[in-house]
């Protein structure tokens, strides 16, 4: 059985057994079900612990291996433009498509009350304060204390410091630079092994989280949540498919070549729910199929994996629309457009963990007139949508590399390799 099949089986089994415990009205069964939730928390924490060292190692090895730091800067600037455009387009796409499904969702008052009363919130959601102003977020991009940024999981400030370190490292003579690069390459390789270990036990963590959720909410509430899961997964899949003709139009790369370069990384992403785990396959596809230069494979792709999460505006739009129906709060178009802009800006500082963007959603929900606890509901059922989020992210990473390659005339022309 594949990893994605095990994850799906674990989610369905957890929801079914939890709903059974709730339907039995047996306090001991419900206590057992909810008592296993810390296992899921342990699994989530295990993923979190790998993010910082892996991102730092990948950025340093990608930048320091490039001979011309100015070329890296130009590539990074063009990549950021593509990131922002695709983020905004993705949010607009969700605003157009998602209501067609969510408008058909009828939530009985008693089920809505049950969901609202038993919203499972993560401590990070409960402790979320106000969303920092835009000026504050810009100032925070340059960390006064890089170690503190790493400890707080502030990815974007850490990337800024790490990129500066790597550019400075690249200016040293090879005899002094290469031993340091080899150390960080070893760190990256080791952390990918650890990531593999953690993802191997993903079904256990997902089962524990789903079991406790369904035990608190019951089968009827689970059906409402599954409608949301299906809607978000469908929107993510549609946008993934839309990227193929977009790449063909903007890069000139044939669809067959792009699909062949992307397929292995998509398989890893779909089965592991990890963009980082898919990075080696992305690099191999870009190098062997698209024949991208080292500046693309060694810098742009690690940068994209570290910063670019095109799913964030889509997930926030669908999640907010769902919670608006659940809590009976109407959301007008200006508010939703503002949400897309906010999601675009915040996406660059989202931690690279499952459901990472949802941990930052709570204060934004408050600004929309929705309870912050609603983010806990979305987090609890995010296992399956996260598969499609990761697959979309990986597709957008290689799409950016393909577009940049044509824009910078970096790819070697020639027949489609086999």
């Amino acid at each position: 059985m594949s990893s994605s099949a095990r994850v799906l089986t674990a989610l369905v089994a957890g929801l079914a057994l939890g709903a059974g415990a709730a339907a039995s009205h047996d306090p001991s069964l419900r206590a057992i079900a909810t008592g296993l939730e810390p296992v899921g928390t342990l699994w989530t924490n295990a993923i979190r612990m790998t993010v910082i060292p892996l991102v730092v190692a990948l950025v340093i090895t990608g930048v320091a291996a490039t001979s011309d730091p100015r070329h890296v800067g130009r590539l990074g600037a063009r990549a950021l433009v593509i990131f922002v455009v695709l983020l905004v387009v993705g949010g607009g796409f969700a605003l157009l498509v998602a209501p067609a499904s969510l408008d058909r969702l009828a939530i009985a008052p008693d089920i809505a009350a049950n969901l609202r009363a038993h919203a499972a919130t993560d401590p990070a959601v409960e402790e979320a304060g106000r969303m920092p102003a835009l000026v504050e977020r810009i100032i925070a991009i340059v960390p006064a204390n890089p170690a503190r940024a790493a400890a707080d999981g502030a990815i974007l400030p850490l990337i800024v410091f790490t990129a500066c370190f790597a550019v400075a490292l690249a200016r040293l003579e090879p005899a002094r630079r290469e031993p340091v690069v080899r150390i960080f390459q070893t760190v990256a390789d080791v952390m990918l092994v650890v990531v593999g270990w953690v993802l191997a036990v993903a079904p256990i963590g997902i089962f524990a989280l789903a079991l406790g959720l369904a035990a608190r909410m019951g089968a009827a509430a689970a059906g409402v949540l599954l409608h949301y899961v299906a809607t978000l997964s469908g929107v993510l899949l549609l946008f993934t498919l839309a990227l193929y003709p977009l790449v063909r139009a903007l890069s000139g790369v044939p669809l067959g070549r792009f699909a062949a370069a992307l397929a292995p990384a998509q398989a890893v992403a779909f089965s592991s729910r990890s963009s980082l785990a898919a990075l080696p396959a992305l690099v191999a596809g870009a190098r062997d199929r698209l024949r991208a230069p080292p500046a693309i494979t060694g810098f742009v792709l690690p940068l994209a994996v570290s910063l670019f999460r095109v799913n964030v505006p889509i997930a926030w739009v669908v999640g907010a629309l769902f919670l608006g129906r659940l809590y009976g709060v109407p959301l007008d178009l200006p508010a939703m457009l503002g949400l897309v802009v906010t999601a675009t800006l915040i996406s660059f500082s989202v931690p690279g963990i499952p459901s990472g963007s949802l941990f930052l959603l709570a204060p934004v929900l408050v600004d929309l007139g929705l309870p912050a606890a609603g983010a806990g509901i979305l987090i609890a059922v995010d296992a399956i949508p996260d598969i499609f989020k990761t697959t979309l992210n990986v597709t957008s990473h290689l799409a950016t590399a393909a577009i940049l390659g044509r824009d910078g005339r970096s790819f070697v022309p020639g027949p489609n390799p086999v």
Side-chain angles (χ1 to χ4, degrees):
M1 182 183 294
S2 67
S3 297
S4 57
R6 289 196 297 270
V7 167
L8 178 59
T9 301
L11 176 63
V12 173
L15 289 174
L17 293 177
S24 70
H25 303 292
D26 186 336
S28 60
L29 289 178
R30 295 188 64 179
I32 292 172
T34 55
L36 290 175
E37 281 189 289
V39 175
T41 303
L42 285 173
W43 173 73
T44 301
N45 289 343
I47 292 179
R48 289 176 175 177
M49 76 178 181
T50 67
V51 172
I52 298 301
L54 183 55
V55 167
V56 169
L58 287 173
V59 171
I60 288 176
T61 55
V63 174
T66 302
S67 58
D68 184 2
R70 291 175 298 179
H71 180 53
V72 169
R74 291 191 295 269
L75 274 177
R78 291 201 295 269
L80 287 175
V81 171
I82 295 173
F83 295 168
V84 171
V85 170
L86 289 180
L87 284 162
V88 173
V89 171
F93 180 84
L95 278 175
L96 291 174
V97 175
S101 172
L102 293 177
D103 287 349
R104 296 198 297 268
L105 175 61
I107 306 177
D110 57 331
I111 295 176
N114 186 28
L115 284 168
R116 294 193 295 264
H118 296 87
T121 57
D122 184 274
V125 174
E126 294 175 345
E127 295 173 5
R130 68 175 183 87
M131 181 60 61
L134 177 59
V135 173
E136 293 175 313
R137 297 193 68 83
I138 293 174
I139 293 174
I141 288 175
V142 178
N145 185 341
R148 177 63 182 271
D152 292 342
I155 297 296
L156 183 55
L158 185 64
I159 287 289
V160 170
F161 167 77
T162 305
C164 291
F165 177 89
V167 169
L169 181 62
R171 296 178 68 88
L172 299 180
E173 59 270 21
R176 300 174 62 191
R177 178 180 70 241
E178 291 174 0
V180 179
V181 174
R182 284 197 297 269
I183 289 174
F184 281 101
Q185 184 60 61
T186 301
V187 171
D189 293 341
V190 170
M191 293 314 302
L192 286 174
V193 172
V194 176
V195 168
W197 292 344
V198 175
L199 294 175
V201 297
I204 297 175
I206 291 170
F207 174 82
L209 291 172
L211 181 67
L213 172 71
R216 287 193 306 271
M217 297 185 178
V224 172
L225 293 174
L226 287 175
H227 186 104
Y228 157 75
V229 167
T231 299
L232 177 54
S233 299
V235 175
L236 292 166
L237 178 59
L238 287 175
F239 194 68
T240 301
L241 296 175
L243 287 179
Y244 285 80
L246 182 66
V247 168
R248 180 69 180 90
L250 296 182
S251 72
V253 175
L255 286 179
R257 179 182 295 185
F258 179 71
L262 183 59
Q266 283 182 326
V268 174
F270 194 86
S271 61
S272 68
R273 299 171 58 215
S274 170
S275 298
L276 293 174
L279 181 57
L282 274 176
V283 171
R287 182 191 61 220
D288 300 336
R289 292 281 182 174
L290 301 183
R291 284 177 286 177
I296 296 276
T297 59
F299 174 67
V300 171
L301 286 176
L303 179 68
V305 169
S306 300
L307 290 182
F308 184 30
R309 295 173 181 85
V310 73
N311 76 84
V312 175
I314 296 174
W316 281 26
V317 165
V318 177
L321 290 173
F322 169 74
L323 292 176
R325 293 190 64 82
L326 178 65
Y327 287 96
V329 176
L331 300 173
D332 57 19
L333 182 59
M336 295 306 297
L337 292 176
L339 177 65
V340 172
V341 173
T342 302
T344 297
L345 296 174
I346 292 177
S347 68
F348 295 107
S349 58
V350 169
I353 59 174
S355 310
S357 69
L358 298 179
F359 287 92
L360 305 180
L361 180 58
V364 180
L365 292 178
V366 174
D367 290 341
L368 293 173
L370 296 166
I377 297 176
L378 306 183
I379 291 170
V381 296
D382 199 50
I384 295 304
D386 196 52
I387 293 174
F388 293 93
K389 289 179 184 179
T390 309
T391 303
L392 171 57
N393 284 346
V394 167
T395 304
S396 68
H397 297 161
L398 193 62
T400 300
I403 295 170
L404 276 176
R406 173 51 59 91
D407 179 57
R409 294 174 172 81
S410 299
F411 288 147
V412 178
N416 186 14
V418 294

